[in-house]
Amino acid sequence: MKYTFLLITIFFSITAKGQNTIVSGTITDSKTNQPLPFVSVSFPGTSIGVNSDKNGKYYITTPKTYTELKFSFVGYKAVTRTILAGKEQVFNIKLQPDVQALATVTIKSGKKKRYRNKDNPAVELIRQVIAHKDSNRMQSYDYTEYQQYEKLQFSFINVNPKLSEKKGYRKYKFLLDNRDTTNLPGKSLLPVYLEEKLTQSYYRKNPEKTKKIIEGEKKVNIVNFVDEDGVNIYLNRMYNEVDIYSNNIFLMTNMFLSPIADNAPSFYKFFITDTIEVDHKKMVELSFTPRNGNDMLFEGLIIVTLDGKYAVQKARLSVNKNINLNWVRSMANDLSYEQSSDGRYHLSKSEMKATFNISKNPDKGIFGDRTITYSNYQINVPRPDSVYAGERTVTVKNALKQGDQFWSDSRGRDTLTSVEGNVYKNIDSLQTMPSYKRAMEIIALFTVGFKTFGPVDVGPIGTFYSFNSVEGFRLKVGGRTNTDFSTRYYLETYGAYGFKDEKFKYLLSAAYSFNNKSIYKFPESYIKATIQNDVKIPGQELSFKQPDAFFLSFKRGVDDKYLYNNYYKLDYVNEYENHFSFAWGFKNWQQSPAGALYFVNNVGGVPNTIDKVTTTELSLNLRYAPHEQLVQGKLYRIIIPSKYPIFTLDYHEGIKGFFNGQYNYANLRLRVDKRVYLSQLGFADVSVEGGYLFGQVPFPLLTIHQANQTYTYDPESYNLMNFLEFVSDHYASLKIDYCLNGFLFNKLPLFKKLKWREYISFKTLYGNLRSENDPALHPQLFEFPVAQNGVPITYTLGKNPYTEGSIGVGNIFKVFRVDMVERFDYLNNPNVQHFGVRVRAQFDF
């Protein structure tokens, strides 16, 4: 019986296998005979189905006895064919376009079908687009060159039309009545900024090099207290050029994930919403939305060719209303591509429009529009190496002086409207009006801290009043000359008085500019002589640039050990257009203890008090920041973060006997800074630094590690280290400040409405002191400071590093960052704070 059962089982298994229904074939367009990929092939009333491949071929099999097979695709009439169950057969299907297919949409209530990537024809199509990215990018050619014309403008939205009739504003009627009502439907735009640029671009694949030659540039400058070039750089960085074929797109100082990035299906939902015909070529419209509306993702649509290349023919990239992006109320970028003679699609136009407002009022704010047109493509035309030599971007000498005919020829179809044409003339007229100049001076006073009186800038006002434990109340006033005084000679001075120590402090400085430009404007080239007498906290090198600012007067813990610094200094600084710079320096420096600080050695076994330390040193600073972009203010520069590293090398040589210098030493420091972009996971600012001091010196000349006892969070300092707590003659450090950019909070129901952003930081410092610099072994060296109760307050780092970390929440009220900082090592040192809360204000989109 068991053998009989086995034979029956084998018979039915073979019979069942032989009775499978197998259908295969090719699906094409009935008009063009082009194969149709991603057509749905299924047995009606079942969940069994497949999609045709990129060549329109399909293959479906089932052991069931179905007698019908259905073929359906968006934009085509569905076809149902009768089949023979249990047979293998071939059906080649021609689908007819259905122009009415998308005319009516009926929405029925019911359970919403869960979105899935699996067996989703839209996802299969986008994966084909991703797979063909490299072949569709411009970089697939050996050589590419093209011309691009770009226009960037900003306008105020819906300014009161009656404003020009009001008293006090009538003098600005020429500006206020210049309105545009066509660029943003339903809104009245008052343009105040316009920039045009014509660039010839070259690309070479091997060795890879990109070259941009700016042949013409025309712009206005409405904010005259900030560097004009820096403002232009920042505005253009906000409206960066969009390459949809890149995995990440940088806009509004944030990194967005492209809808055709390698991992796009994990972050976006895709839908086939239409099939269209362009120049008798069949294409598919794909719509996409972010899986999480708060993340840095786009929503919109792309039109994809079905010619086997799966190229993008058109795209619209906009943002979700819930996106974690500050002050941006709307943003959309439209990309258009044109087919070239080789069948490839090249970008022909890119237009980005965005509206900004601090409030949520949709009828007010600022509107920005950047249009770029690409033309005159030349493919695989080799150029001499000289074309690619030098900097990546260069500007021809007469770029800013091009005439009207040049711009008329360059604009092509993007001619200026009459409203746009008036902007240059109106802003030039505005700049000459005394009332406007006064308004700009008031704004400059409260934003950058200076008030201009003709050839002199007085400030910064934030340092006019402060206090500390040594000086008590401190009053200070200062100023410097500007380019109205001279473009060659620059003077700077301040005077300060402490009411507790009753001492007068001062600075006198004179500089000569070799390039006939401001010494505060890139590229700098000047020689500068400085005399200064002031107080300083050992080891305080805050990134706020002005250590005597009023808000930095508030400090935690014991803050009573200062230095009186008196020095004479001569500096020569030279910067190059490629952002390599060097600086030579001479410095004669006297340091005297102040407050509770003292200098004592034990020569002869007897404590000896030392009044001051005198050093004379020569210095060399080398810095290289490739592709660096910056905004120059009156106080200091703002470096616009980028993916490129910054290298800094400092060398200081102390010379004994030269201008009364007391010590021979050499101090070498190397530092590398880099921002690492992690796409949807945010970014990390990483800093690696190391230093070594050669020679025997007292502790004021050692590396006094950068501490911070204020209540502000300083990314550059150790925020729970005390002043003068650690000294070294050799060290290495690592600092990481990581911003997740809301990646986690965006997923939490309550937090995503707040649009907060997560921060994690980690800092570690390794260091030590060689025996030759240990005062316990060498009595001629100064004793390390101790507190009034005799407890030491200054230490060397042992085998364990100093480490601290923090977890922070940023973008609170779109401005503030609050960090909970924890210190992990050397917790038994006196007056040590294990935990702390620190606050920082920062502005970002």
Side-chain angles (χ1 to χ4, degrees):
M1 287 295 295
K2 65 179 181 180
Y3 293 111
T4 303
F5 179 76
L6 179 60
L7 290 172
I8 293 173
T9 302
I10 294 174
F11 171 78
F12 278 108
S13 297
I14 296 172
T15 303
K17 183 176 181 180
Q19 290 179 342
N20 273 5
T21 301
I22 301 173
V23 186
S24 62
T26 302
I27 307 170
T28 57
D29 185 292
S30 63
K31 290 186 176 181
T32 65
N33 290 321
Q34 292 291 320
L36 293 177
F38 311 112
V39 175
S40 175
V41 182
S42 62
F43 297 106
T46 74
S47 60
I48 302 173
V50 296
N51 293 320
S52 59
D53 64 15
K54 65 180 182 179
N55 297 314
K57 296 184 179 300
Y58 72 95
Y59 178 92
I60 187 170
T61 180
T62 178
K64 303 293 185 180
T65 57
Y66 301 129
T67 58
E68 288 186 333
L69 191 62
K70 184 177 181 179
F71 304 84
S72 60
F73 192 41
V74 177
Y76 288 83
K77 293 179 181 179
V79 172
T80 301
R81 290 285 186 267
T82 300
I83 60 175
L84 299 175
K87 300 291 184 180
E88 185 173 348
Q89 53 222 288
V90 175
F91 281 98
N92 294 319
I93 304 298
K94 291 183 179 291
L95 294 184
Q96 295 183 355
D98 185 2
V99 295
Q100 302 295 326
L102 299 175
T104 304
V105 177
T106 303
I107 300 176
K108 298 181 179 180
S109 61
K111 186 176 180 180
K112 184 178 179 181
K113 186 177 179 180
R114 183 181 178 185
Y115 178 87
R116 298 176 61 187
N117 280 350
K118 187 177 180 181
D119 299 324
N120 185 336
V123 175
E124 294 301 319
L125 179 56
I126 203 66
R127 283 177 174 155
Q128 289 290 345
V129 176
I130 294 170
H132 288 78
K133 277 196 311 179
D134 290 342
S135 61
N136 285 314
R137 298 190 71 178
M138 203 65 65
Q139 289 81 351
S140 64
Y141 293 114
D142 292 332
Y143 299 92
T144 307
E145 61 184 82
Y146 55 89
Q147 190 177 73
Q148 69 180 64
Y149 164 78
E150 54 189 288
K151 178 177 63 178
L152 175 66
Q153 58 179 319
F154 286 89
S155 308
F156 289 113
I157 302 173
N158 288 341
V159 176
N160 187 346
K162 298 181 179 179
L163 189 64
S164 61
E165 304 300 329
K166 294 184 178 181
K167 186 178 180 180
Y169 292 94
R170 293 171 187 164
K171 65 182 73 175
Y172 302 111
K173 184 177 177 64
F174 68 95
L175 177 70
L176 297 173
D177 288 348
N178 187 44
R179 306 292 184 100
D180 183 349
T181 57
T182 60
N183 202 1
L184 191 61
K187 302 289 192 299
S188 173
L189 302 178
L190 175 62
V192 293
Y193 180 87
L194 181 62
E195 176 187 352
E196 295 178 275
K197 190 182 297 181
L198 184 74
T199 305
Q200 184 68 30
S201 297
Y202 299 89
Y203 171 78
R204 183 183 62 194
K205 188 173 185 178
N206 188 23
E208 190 171 33
K209 185 69 182 290
T210 300
K211 183 79 170 188
K212 289 182 177 291
I213 301 175
I214 300 174
E215 298 177 344
E217 193 170 10
K218 193 175 184 180
K219 55 194 172 184
V220 300
N221 182 25
I222 194 170
V223 183
N224 54 19
F225 55 83
V226 179
D227 173 46
E228 177 183 354
D229 293 334
V231 171
N232 294 331
I233 288 172
Y234 190 79
L235 293 179
N236 280 278
R237 187 168 173 80
M238 287 169 52
Y239 281 67
N240 213 19
E241 294 184 42
V242 174
D243 178 8
I244 197 170
Y245 289 106
S246 295
N247 283 330
N248 295 289
I249 298 172
F250 196 88
L251 289 172
M252 301 296 168
T253 69
N254 284 280
M255 195 71 75
F256 289 77
L257 188 72
S258 169
I260 59 174
D262 295 344
N263 57 344
S266 299
F267 292 91
Y268 288 101
K269 296 179 181 179
F270 294 93
F271 308 90
I272 295 177
T273 50
D274 201 358
T275 57
I276 61 176
E277 200 170 283
V278 179
D279 296 330
H280 307 292
K281 297 178 179 64
K282 191 67 65 176
M283 301 188 186
V284 173
E285 179 186 279
L286 277 174
S287 296
F288 56 90
T289 61
R291 291 177 181 263
N292 186 300
N294 291 71
D295 287 342
M296 291 295 174
L297 300 167
F298 296 107
E299 64 181 15
L301 60 88
I302 56 176
I303 295 176
V304 179
T305 66
L306 294 180
D307 56 359
K309 296 183 174 66
Y310 299 97
V312 176
Q313 191 267 343
K314 188 166 287 189
R316 181 175 179 83
L317 310 178
S318 58
V319 294
N320 188 281
K321 65 178 182 179
N322 298 317
I323 192 171
N324 191 345
L325 193 64
N326 293 333
W327 307 303
V328 178
R329 300 307 168 203
S330 67
M331 184 176 74
N333 200 106
D334 291 304
L335 304 172
S336 299
Y337 297 78
E338 292 182 355
Q339 192 172 26
S340 64
S341 58
D342 66 352
R344 299 271 292 277
Y345 285 83
H346 300 157
L347 183 61
S348 60
K349 188 172 184 178
S350 171
E351 184 171 17
M352 178 177 169
K353 297 181 178 182
T355 58
F356 310 85
N357 200 345
I358 296 177
S359 71
K360 294 184 178 180
N361 185 353
D363 296 324
K364 298 291 182 181
I366 296 175
F367 171 73
D369 181 7
R370 186 185 193 188
T371 303
I372 307 176
T373 56
Y374 302 83
S375 60
N376 300 335
Y377 279 95
Q378 294 193 52
I379 305 301
N380 290 334
V381 177
R383 296 294 182 185
D385 291 343
S386 59
V387 172
Y388 299 95
E391 282 300 292
R392 186 173 62 173
T393 302
V394 297
T395 304
V396 299
K397 290 184 178 180
N398 62 339
L400 292 170
K401 300 178 181 179
Q402 300 287 10
D404 293 340
Q405 187 60 48
F406 171 88
W407 288 110
S408 179
D409 296 338
S410 301
R411 291 171 185 140
R413 290 174 292 180
D414 294 300
T415 57
L416 295 185
T417 65
S418 59
V419 174
E420 292 170 339
N422 290 333
V423 174
Y424 291 120
K425 178 182 65 177
N426 289 347
I427 299 302
D428 286 344
S429 301
L430 185 68
Q431 295 276 13
T432 62
M433 299 179 66
S435 56
Y436 174 77
K437 292 181 179 180
R438 287 194 296 270
M440 289 295 101
E441 288 177 357
I442 293 172
I443 295 174
L445 179 65
F446 290 100
T447 54
V448 299
F450 281 88
K451 175 68 174 70
T452 299
F453 296 93
V456 176
D457 297 333
V458 176
I461 61 172
T463 64
F464 281 5
Y465 170 75
S466 60
F467 58 89
N468 58 67
S469 61
V470 171
E471 295 177 286
F473 297 123
R474 172 186 167 104
L475 295 180
K476 173 184 172 182
V477 63
R480 65 191 189 189
T481 62
N482 54 44
T483 52
D484 288 343
F485 174 80
S486 173
T487 57
R488 288 286 187 184
Y489 301 94
Y490 294 86
L491 305 175
E492 183 178 2
T493 186
Y494 72 72
Y497 184 79
F499 285 85
K500 182 177 179 180
D501 66 353
E502 298 182 345
K503 289 181 179 292
F504 181 73
K505 294 87 181 176
Y506 58 86
L507 175 140
L508 298 171
S509 177
Y512 176 80
S513 173
F514 291 100
N515 59 9
N516 203 30
K517 294 182 180 180
S518 169
I519 62 172
Y520 309 106
K521 183 179 177 63
F522 179 85
E524 297 175 347
S525 180
Y526 65 84
I527 187 169
K528 183 178 183 180
T530 304
I531 301 174
Q532 186 177 30
N533 187 313
D534 211 335
V535 295
K536 181 181 181 297
I537 300 175
Q540 185 186 41
E541 299 290 344
L542 298 179
S543 60
F544 304 105
K545 307 298 183 183
Q546 296 292 329
D548 56 350
F550 173 74
F551 76 94
L552 294 178
S553 300
F554 301 91
K555 299 181 178 70
R556 62 173 175 84
V558 179
D559 172 37
D560 59 359
K561 294 172 179 60
Y562 281 67
L563 289 169
Y564 286 119
N565 283 318
N566 186 8
Y567 63 73
Y568 306 86
K569 188 167 66 168
L570 184 67
D571 295 299
Y572 172 69
V573 176
N574 195 17
E575 295 180 330
Y576 296 91
E577 292 288 349
N578 64 354
H579 290 269
F580 172 78
S581 64
F582 68 87
W584 295 96
F586 163 83
K587 183 178 181 180
N588 182 260
W589 185 17
Q590 292 182 355
Q591 299 183 76
S592 302
L597 188 64
Y598 57 86
F599 295 164
V600 172
N601 65 22
N602 286 287
V603 175
V606 179
N608 301 291
T609 301
I610 310 300
D611 294 331
K612 63 184 178 182
V613 174
T614 302
T615 57
T616 301
E617 64 179 31
L618 302 177
S619 63
L620 171 65
N621 173 274
L622 302 177
R623 184 178 184 273
Y624 181 49
H627 312 302
E628 182 181 46
Q629 294 180 322
L630 47 86
V631 178
Q632 179 68 60
K634 283 184 177 292
L635 270 178
Y636 46 83
R637 293 172 172 177
I638 300 174
I639 297 174
I640 301 175
S642 72
K643 63 181 181 180
Y644 300 102
I646 299 175
F647 304 92
T648 306
L649 176 67
D650 278 312
Y651 179 76
H652 295 259
E653 179 81 26
I655 305 174
K656 185 176 181 179
F658 186 48
F659 284 87
N660 299 318
Q662 297 174 304
Y663 297 93
N664 285 318
Y665 61 88
N667 200 344
L668 183 66
R669 182 181 72 97
L670 176 64
R671 173 170 173 155
V672 180
D673 297 276
K674 179 175 172 56
R675 170 164 288 190
V676 180
Y677 288 101
L678 302 170
S679 187
Q680 290 301 291
L681 297 178
F683 60 86
D685 290 322
V686 181
S687 174
V688 179
E689 182 178 329
Y692 198 96
L693 186 143
F694 303 86
Q696 186 180 63
V697 294
F699 78 83
L701 300 182
L702 296 173
T703 299
I704 301 174
H705 294 293
Q706 196 168 332
N708 177 25
Q709 286 186 214
T710 71
Y711 294 100
T712 58
Y713 182 83
D714 182 15
E716 294 295 317
S717 302
Y718 300 98
N719 291 281
L720 291 181
M721 184 185 290
N722 293 331
F723 295 137
L724 259 176
E725 185 176 358
F726 292 104
V727 296
S728 302
D729 58 17
H730 59 282
Y731 70 94
S733 68
L734 171 66
K735 299 173 185 175
I736 302 174
D737 193 37
Y738 175 36
C739 174
L740 279 78
N741 225 17
F743 183 77
L744 298 179
F745 286 160
N746 290 345
K747 313 300 187 289
L748 304 177
L750 176 61
F751 286 89
K752 68 180 182 181
K753 292 184 178 294
L754 298 172
K755 297 186 178 181
W756 288 351
R757 298 170 185 173
E758 318 85 342
Y759 285 86
I760 302 172
S761 73
F762 175 77
K763 301 174 184 178
T764 184
L765 171 67
Y766 287 85
N768 213 321
L769 199 67
R770 302 191 308 277
S771 60
E772 64 180 302
N773 286 313
D774 187 348
L777 302 176
H778 300 278
Q780 73 274 21
L781 298 175
F782 299 166
E783 294 179 351
F784 287 164
V786 299
Q788 292 182 351
N789 58 5
V791 176
I793 63 169
T794 300
Y795 304 86
T796 60
L797 292 160
K799 294 182 179 179
N800 296 326
Y802 172 91
T803 54
E804 68 178 33
S806 70
I807 298 176
V809 177
N811 211 40
I812 301 174
F813 303 118
K814 304 188 186 303
V815 173
F816 297 104
R817 168 181 171 178
V818 179
D819 281 75
M820 174 66 75
V821 189
E822 181 177 1
R823 173 172 169 161
F824 303 116
D825 297 287
Y826 300 97
L827 302 180
N828 294 324
N829 288 0
N831 300 316
V832 163
Q833 191 174 17
H834 296 190
F835 299 93
V837 178
R838 301 293 180 264
V839 181
R840 181 178 178 87
Q842 55 189 35
F843 297 87
D844 202 352
F845 285 99

